[in-house]
Amino acid sequence: MVMVSQATKKQQPSKQRAQILAIAAVVLLAAGSVWVFVSSLSSRTANTKSRASLLKGVRDAGNELRGRERLMRRTDRYQIHSSSTNNGEMKISAKQIMTTGRPYLLYGTAWKEENTASLVTQAIHAGFRFIDTACQPKHYNEAGVGKGWTTAASQLGLERSDFFLQTKFTSINGQDPENIPYDKTAPLEEQVKQSLEASLRNLRTDYIDSLVLHSPMETMEDTLRVWKVFESFVTDGKVRQIGISNCYNFRDLRKLYQEATIKPAVVQNRFHDKTKYDVQLREICNLYGIKYQSFWTLTAPSNRRAMANDDWKEMAREKGLTPQTLMYAFMMALGHTPLDGSSDVNHMKEDVKLMMRFQAGEEVVDKKEIKTLSSLLGIRD
């Protein structure tokens, strides 16, 4: 037990009184400053204005300043991702975007054929940095993607690390029999290796940010055989992350996750009513920390019907969006990554503008609005 002397006890109230007097002096000084400020204002305003209205004006001015400070802080966050390139265009980096943990759009390149290179270049000029393709000549021009991104990078002064390139291994069943990018007679593991080497050449890079199995193999055993090769690519540094597409059975995804040494980072699926909008599968993705990527987001008939609804259109108008960009906003508000395959430059710019609103931290669609849009789509929990 600590003993306190009587002298010390007498000193404590004295110190407290001194502190109280000091605080009172500061308060009086501040009050005097406010009074001087208010008095100066009153001398320059009409005599009919009361002191109360002047004080209200001071409070309003303070609120406005605080609002401007919040806007400046939000603008500062935005500027992290939008410094200028060497020709004055907005600079956006995939690497920086991923550090924010905020939603983004993935530029889809299917069915663009001979226009792939020019469209990828235009998309990058518009602000896209995440690009999806596949080593599947039947539906993708992977070499065109390689030409497109390198052309844009040279024009804008961007580096490889400013981009996120995602491609896929497609099994023989998904290939054009007359144009398979690997030896169809080789063992499955060798087919996967040859496909990756073709992708690296086509995309003009020495690593892939994300490699996706285009669809599950016919058996889980073969799916796991492919996955083991994928894992070796990550170990060797040729691939940064791996995932799976067209996987609509949540039990299959759960099995893959449990068996895999390197877990799936992404699932890319059609988002429409025929699969009940992947409600259960998306729950599994959230549970396991897997990023859900959507395609057919705008083109599925069920989604088009929802976007044609008057309530959907009205919400889009209130937010300064189109029905289509509201659909993207809905998906990003859920934490998902929509594929955006626009071939229209103006639409590309609209979509990137929306993405940057999310990157700036804006709550474009709130929880109540998510429920409303889910109901219009017919999504049931």
Side-chain angles (χ1 to χ4, degrees):
M1 181 175 180
V2 178
M3 302 298 293
V4 181
S5 68
Q6 292 295 324
T8 303
K9 289 181 179 179
K10 290 179 180 179
Q11 290 173 3
Q12 287 176 345
S14 177
K15 287 183 179 180
Q16 291 175 352
R17 282 195 296 272
Q19 290 172 349
I20 292 170
L21 289 172
I23 292 171
V26 171
V27 170
L28 288 172
L29 181 60
S33 299
V34 170
W35 173 250
V36 170
F37 177 64
V38 171
S39 298
S40 66
L41 283 175
S42 61
S43 67
R44 287 174 292 186
T45 57
N47 293 331
T48 56
K49 287 190 175 181
S50 66
R51 186 180 304 165
S53 66
L54 287 173
L55 289 171
K56 181 178 183 300
V58 172
R59 288 194 298 269
D60 290 345
N63 290 335
E64 182 180 354
L65 284 171
R66 284 189 291 273
R68 288 181 180 179
E69 288 174 357
R70 284 193 296 269
L71 179 61
M72 288 176 66
R73 285 195 296 269
R74 197 173 86 177
T75 303
D76 288 342
R77 292 197 298 269
Y78 179 89
Q79 291 299 327
I80 290 174
H81 313 296
S82 58
S83 57
S84 297
T85 61
N86 58 11
N87 65 356
E89 293 193 31
M90 182 170 63
K91 180 177 180 180
I92 305 171
S93 170
K95 185 176 181 180
Q96 291 175 330
I97 287 175
M98 292 189 74
T99 63
T100 69
R102 293 172 181 157
Y104 53 85
L105 293 167
L106 182 62
Y107 188 66
T109 61
W111 306 299
K112 290 178 171 54
E113 301 176 340
E114 69 276 2
N115 296 319
T116 298
S118 62
L119 287 171
V120 167
T121 298
Q122 291 172 35
I124 291 170
H125 275 272
F128 283 94
R129 294 296 181 268
F130 297 79
I131 304 169
D132 176 83
T133 185
C135 192
Q136 185 196 32
K138 182 178 180 180
H139 296 311
Y140 293 83
N141 180 354
E142 195 177 42
V145 173
K147 180 179 179 182
W149 87 259
T150 52
T151 298
S154 177
Q155 292 168 346
L156 297 174
L158 299 173
E159 300 177 355
R160 171 65 180 88
S161 61
D162 291 318
F163 297 94
F164 181 97
L165 301 180
Q166 176 172 279
T167 191
K168 308 177 191 76
F169 165 74
T170 308
S171 67
I172 290 175
N173 291 341
Q175 300 282 1
D176 177 355
E178 303 301 320
N179 192 6
I180 299 175
Y182 49 78
D183 181 1
K184 65 180 181 180
T185 66
L188 178 59
E189 289 81 359
E190 185 61 28
Q191 293 175 9
V192 178
K193 294 176 182 178
Q194 291 179 13
S195 179
L196 177 68
E197 291 305 315
S199 291
L200 292 171
R201 289 193 303 272
N202 289 336
L203 294 173
R204 307 183 185 189
T205 182
D206 57 2
Y207 71 93
I208 302 296
D209 293 284
S210 182
L211 179 62
V212 173
L213 176 56
H214 213 153
S215 63
M217 304 298 288
E218 291 185 352
T219 67
M220 178 57 69
E221 180 183 359
D222 281 350
T223 296
L224 293 174
R225 287 174 63 192
V226 171
W227 201 260
K228 290 298 181 185
V229 182
F230 275 24
E231 290 176 335
S232 72
F233 296 154
V234 176
T235 302
D236 293 342
K238 295 181 179 180
V239 172
R240 300 289 173 84
Q241 68 176 36
I242 50 182
I244 190 167
S245 182
N246 294 296
C247 179
Y248 300 100
N249 188 324
F250 75 90
R251 294 182 182 85
D252 288 343
L253 178 60
R254 187 168 58 193
K255 176 69 172 176
L256 174 62
Y257 188 91
Q258 292 170 344
E259 295 290 334
T261 300
I262 298 176
K263 309 301 183 182
V266 298
V267 168
Q268 183 185 115
N269 277 359
R270 290 181 180 87
F271 187 76
H272 63 156
D273 61 342
K274 301 299 183 184
T275 59
K276 298 181 180 179
Y277 291 100
D278 279 342
V279 170
Q280 287 184 307
L281 189 133
R282 288 188 291 120
E283 288 177 355
I284 293 292
C285 287
N286 289 335
L287 178 65
Y288 291 154
I290 300 171
K291 182 67 69 175
Y292 182 87
Q293 300 176 351
S294 68
F295 65 99
W296 276 25
T297 314
L298 300 184
T299 55
S302 58
N303 301 352
R304 289 191 176 195
R305 286 193 298 270
M307 289 185 287
N309 183 282
D310 288 340
D311 291 338
W312 190 291
K313 291 179 180 179
E314 179 59 27
M315 187 185 294
R317 280 194 294 269
E318 290 174 355
K319 296 179 177 297
L321 300 173
T322 65
Q324 291 76 23
T325 50
L326 180 57
M327 174 62 90
Y328 287 146
F330 168 71
M331 295 302 294
M332 288 192 282
L334 290 172
H336 303 327
T337 304
L339 267 72
D340 182 339
S342 179
S343 297
D344 182 286
V345 174
N346 291 326
H347 291 165
M348 292 176 184
K349 292 178 180 178
E350 287 177 355
D351 300 345
V352 170
K353 183 178 179 181
L354 168 66
M355 181 182 74
M356 297 312 293
R357 288 172 65 178
F358 276 91
Q359 285 297 305
E362 180 180 346
E363 186 181 43
V364 182
V365 180
D366 63 30
K367 292 181 180 179
K368 183 178 179 181
E369 291 165 335
I370 288 174
K371 289 184 178 180
T372 299
L373 296 175
S374 295
S375 178
L376 292 173
L377 283 163
I379 298 175
R380 301 287 181 264
D381 293 336

